[in-house]
Amino acid sequence: MLDGHRILLIIAGGIAAYKCLELIRLLRKAGAAVTPVLTAAGAEFVTPLSVAALAGEPVHDALFDLTAEAEMGHIELSRSADLVVVAPATADLMARLATGGANDLASTLLLATDKRVLLAPAMNVRMWLHPATQRNLATLAADGVLTVGPDEGEMACGEYGPGRMAEPAAILAAIEAAFGGAGPLAGRHALVTSGPTHEPIDPVRYIANRSSGRQGSAIAEALAARGARVTFVTGPASAPAPSGCSVVAVQSAAEMLAAVEAALPADVAVFAAAVADWRVATPSSSKIKKQAGVAAQTLELAENPDILRHVARLPTGRPRLVVGFAAETDDVVANATAKRLRKGCDWLLANDVNPSTGIMGGSENAVTLITGAGAETWPRMSKRATAEALADRIAEALA
Ligand code: C5P
């Protein structure tokens, strides 16, 4: 419930703006007060009248409005709420926020606020995947901005992929998670790594592990749902990013280590990423060409930093609970028990990723939790249920 909370809702210009009307309704139903802000482009998609009618409050839409300034100045407006939500967050507004632009009311409020900001991005798939948008997203995550979505699916423009705004119910859940007061992990910071890493061979090729990122995303969401503030450091994964978390997107193991170090301190760190153990010692800056008569290519590999081992063995600033994963294909428990000691982590979740199990890339997992007290095999269940069980155990351990 959001009783007593005020949300400053910025509606930017995208077709998904129509979903905001439903979001306002859900927020009001959950007990929140909504101060609506409509950008000029946003007003092309929804009318100020429908927004104001549903919010039960006037719409703010102009930076230079003497009447509005006399009633409540824009600086005061930016701090009047408990949380700032931008839905839809367009590529343009994200870019302005990432670079500190302030050329309209919405961007000025975002720059002037002292409250946390939650973005619900919505844009065309190419715009979302564009390196500029991903760069801005990483900057915003490092600034502590929260995100929900985007979802993958068919888009209004007819293309398919990530870029659809999260559904209003999911945005509401992310808003509730951002307040986090309710859960057993309220006030805790959780760090989760997820997905594969890509180690460049040349500008078009890379080395990677198989990883969908589904288990890591589910763990981050389960921790956020229990009230934790979650930093989610992810390699290029196919699973949607978790909602209500600060998402830091990286490519290589070296970038992942840097992002993890920047995110510390944390109360708990879960290392679910499938980090490539090796990188190409000297990636080529131009595409390596096939050569007539040369059948084989040799790549010289260098060992990547072991991020889990590094964090688990930090002399100062080590998270209280460090959890690793061990994807094994044989002697799962024996190998994972030895790995827990080698890495220095508190818990290790071992799973059998033999192709016959269908776990890799699938929606289910079968894990054995290895702690200092021994091994505990959990039943095969959905990755979501596995994440919920792990988050419950983490909450118990940190209580
Ligand atoms: O050694 P192995 O790759 O099997 O270890 C798996 C565990 O270690 C996972 O938790 C993974 O996220 C973590 N890891 C890491 N950095 C590496 C390799 C693995 O954090 N370079």
Side-chain angles (χ1 to χ4, degrees):
M1 287 306 277
L2 293 171
D3 283 320
H5 289 304
R6 177 168 286 278
I7 309 294
L8 184 68
L9 176 64
I10 297 176
I11 305 170
I15 182 66
Y18 79 91
K19 292 190 192 171
C20 275
L21 300 177
E22 174 67 2
L23 175 62
I24 296 173
R25 209 184 57 76
L26 293 179
L27 284 168
R28 298 283 309 275
K29 209 169 130 203
V34 178
T35 308
V37 175
L38 200 50
T39 67
E44 299 287 334
F45 292 92
V46 285
T47 71
L49 189 61
S50 14
V51 172
L54 283 165
E57 296 197 18
V59 170
H60 300 263
D61 54 8
L63 184 54
F64 302 111
D65 179 333
L66 278 183
T67 319
E69 281 296 311
E71 282 163 9
M72 188 195 282
H74 61 266
I75 301 295
E76 206 183 327
L77 181 62
S78 77
R79 300 180 188 167
S80 61
D82 305 300
L83 181 73
V84 182
V85 177
V86 188
T90 57
D92 174 65
L93 190 51
M94 284 173 61
R96 281 185 285 145
L97 179 57
T99 52
N103 58 352
D104 66 356
L105 180 64
S107 51
T108 304
L109 295 176
L110 286 166
L111 202 60
T113 189
D114 57 353
K115 300 300 177 344
R116 281 185 307 159
V117 173
L118 171 73
L119 306 179
M123 65 197 73
N124 165 274
V125 51
R126 292 268 150 246
M127 293 171 77
W128 173 252
L129 295 174
H130 195 285
T133 304
Q134 291 300 313
R135 219 166 29 239
N136 291 334
L137 185 69
T139 304
L140 293 169
D143 291 345
V145 169
L146 306 168
T147 52
V148 49
D151 292 346
E152 189 168 317
E154 202 158 323
M155 317 203 53
C157 54
E159 288 183 47
Y160 187 94
R164 279 168 64 101
M165 189 170 85
E167 291 304 321
I171 300 176
L172 177 70
I175 291 170
E176 284 173 336
F179 285 113
L185 289 173
R188 306 283 189 196
H189 179 211
L191 169 65
V192 179
T193 71
S194 184
T197 63
H198 284 183
E199 311 296 332
I201 297 171
D202 65 20
V204 296
R205 306 182 177 98
Y206 57 81
I207 298 177
N209 284 33
R210 284 188 207 285
S211 168
S212 64
R214 287 169 95 153
Q215 187 63 77
S217 266
I219 292 168
E221 270 185 3
L223 293 168
R226 281 158 186 74
R229 175 170 74 81
V230 181
T231 306
F232 182 74
V233 179
T234 179
S238 57
S243 62
C245 302
S246 288
V247 179
V248 186
V250 298
Q251 295 284 325
S252 64
E255 287 173 15
M256 185 171 276
L257 174 62
V260 162
E261 284 182 324
L264 291 174
D267 298 286
V268 53
V270 181
F271 293 87
V275 183
D277 289 311
W278 299 278
R279 65 179 180 279
V280 175
T282 326
S284 170
S285 57
S286 53
K287 186 179 170 187
I288 301 168
K289 297 274 183 252
K290 282 189 269 187
Q291 286 166 20
V294 182
Q297 270 283 351
T298 307
L299 292 175
E300 196 190 324
L301 301 180
E303 202 169 323
N304 265 334
D306 189 321
I307 306 167
L308 165 62
R309 192 171 188 280
H310 170 78
V311 172
R313 292 178 180 275
L314 279 176
T316 50
R318 180 194 192 272
R320 231 170 90 198
L321 187 62
V322 177
V323 184
F325 271 80
E328 303 285 346
T329 52
D330 343 75
D331 293 331
V332 176
V333 173
N335 278 324
T337 303
K339 187 169 286 183
R340 188 185 81 87
L341 296 174
R342 209 165 53 240
K343 300 268 189 179
C345 56
D346 304 296
W347 297 354
L348 197 80
L349 282 161
N351 56 1
D352 186 345
V353 292
N354 204 299
S356 63
T357 63
I359 282 172
M360 194 85 95
S363 61
E364 291 189 337
N365 210 346
V367 302
T368 299
L369 172 66
I370 295 170
T371 69
E376 191 184 299
T377 298
W378 293 359
R380 183 171 175 134
M381 49 190 166
S382 69
K383 287 184 175 170
R384 182 148 304 282
T386 304
E388 301 287 342
L390 177 63
D392 282 338
R393 290 296 283 268
I394 290 172
E396 257 172 55
L398 294 184

